[in-house]
């Protein structure tokens, strides 16, 4: 469902206003990949953090989705507490 929402955004709103993302991959592609790789909860948080960095005074350049999360960030998702976050 999240993939469909992101793809709809990419094909509609993003296409109308133009692409102004300062990063590669774009913020919407980053969020889609992060959700696919780390699940809805953790990937969504990673994507939101990325969107918050995408402004004129923020970061720019190549910023890939991490393959694995740092140890300090593990254990805080609903999946680690017994909920399946990919549903």
């Amino acid at each position: 469902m999240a993939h469909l929402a992101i793809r709809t955004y990419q094909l509609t709103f993003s296409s109308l206003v133009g692409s102004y993302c300062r990063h590669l991959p774009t913020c919407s592609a980053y969020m889609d990949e992060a959700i696919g790789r780390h699940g809805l909860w953790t990937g969504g948080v990673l994507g939101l953090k990325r969107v918050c960095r995408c402004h004129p005074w923020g970061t720019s350049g190549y910023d890939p989705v991490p393959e694995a999360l740092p140890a300090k960030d593990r254990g805080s998702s609903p999946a680690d507490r017994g909920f399946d976050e990919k549903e």
Side-chain angles (χ1 to χ4, degrees), residues 32-52:
D32 193 37
E33 185 179 343
I35 290 171
R37 183 174 295 169
H38 298 291
L40 183 60
W41 179 263
T42 305
V45 169
L46 286 171
L48 287 174
K49 285 181 178 180
R50 167 68 176 285
V51 168
C52 289

Side-chain angles (χ1 to χ4, degrees), residues 3-19:
H3 174 72
L4 179 62
I6 292 168
R7 191 67 185 139
T8 300
Y9 164 79
Q10 289 173 332
L11 294 174
T12 57
F13 187 71
S14 179
S15 298
L16 295 174
V17 298
S19 179

Side-chain angles (χ1 to χ4, degrees), residues 44-73:
V45 169
L46 286 171
L48 287 174
K49 285 181 178 180
R50 167 68 176 285
V51 168
C52 289
R53 292 192 311 262
C54 193
H55 56 81
W57 304 279
T59 60
S60 64
Y62 183 63
D63 181 24
V65 176
E67 292 289 329
L69 298 176
K72 69 178 182 73
D73 292 336

